[in-house]
Amino acid sequence: MDDRLWMYQDSPQGLRRIDYCNGVQGFINFATSIPRNFTRGGIRCPCRKCQNKKYLHPDVVMMHLLHKGFIENYQCWYAHGEVFVSKRRMGETMVGSTSSASNVHEAANDNTNPYRNMVMDAMRMNQGNVS
């Protein structure tokens, strides 16, 4: 996941910073690049008021985000096609990284996937064998 600290940092005067405005434009570009995000001509609005519950035209979503800000803890844009992935590489765990939907298959085959492990435990299975 790229650095998204910009989503929750305002200038001391309460005004939006330029990196916030650029980030909102990047969010709109990302959200509108995935066709399945469009419903009734709009995308989900992740502003503090709409909370991903309303579908609005991307220009309206941009205005909402510029005026109201993002809902809390929305660094992973899950309602807009981004997938939460936990990866283990070279003995180091990177938790909280995000990726595009193309990496879902990779996450599903990852033995460190906590959801897979939970299901396997619930089914009393160990590495694909019934115990």
Side-chain angles (χ1 to χ4, degrees):
M1 173 172 75
D2 60 345
D3 182 18
R4 295 195 178 148
L5 294 175
W6 58 266
M7 294 175 68
Y8 301 102
Q9 292 179 338
D10 291 332
S11 66
Q13 298 83 17
L15 302 172
R16 297 293 182 202
R17 298 162 38 121
I18 190 70
D19 60 336
Y20 180 85
C21 297
N22 292 336
V24 168
Q25 182 61 57
F27 167 79
I28 296 294
N29 291 344
F30 174 81
T32 58
S33 71
I34 302 174
R36 68 178 174 179
N37 283 341
F38 284 95
T39 299
R40 295 168 282 192
I43 60 173
R44 290 180 184 265
C45 180
C47 79
R48 292 177 194 262
K49 181 180 177 186
C50 297
Q51 299 183 354
N52 279 324
K53 295 175 184 170
K54 293 184 181 178
Y55 289 86
L56 303 172
H57 188 274
D59 293 340
V60 176
V61 172
M62 178 180 284
M63 293 307 296
H64 277 211
L65 292 174
L66 291 174
H67 291 280
K68 301 171 186 171
F70 282 87
I71 56 176
E72 290 188 39
N73 300 316
Y74 194 60
Q75 289 91 349
C76 175
W77 300 334
Y78 57 86
H80 295 86
E82 204 167 42
V83 179
F84 182 81
V85 179
S86 174
K87 295 182 181 179
R88 181 178 298 255
R89 292 198 178 162
M90 295 186 276
E92 179 179 312
T93 302
M94 297 168 41
V95 178
S97 63
T98 60
S99 68
S100 65
S102 64
N103 288 335
V104 172
H105 182 65
E106 176 186 331
N109 292 328
D110 185 359
N111 286 334
T112 62
N113 183 330
Y115 299 108
R116 179 186 179 281
N117 293 341
M118 181 177 64
V119 170
M120 296 298 276
D121 289 343
M123 296 176 63
R124 300 182 199 280
M125 297 179 77
N126 184 10
Q127 297 178 351
N129 298 322
V130 178
S131 37

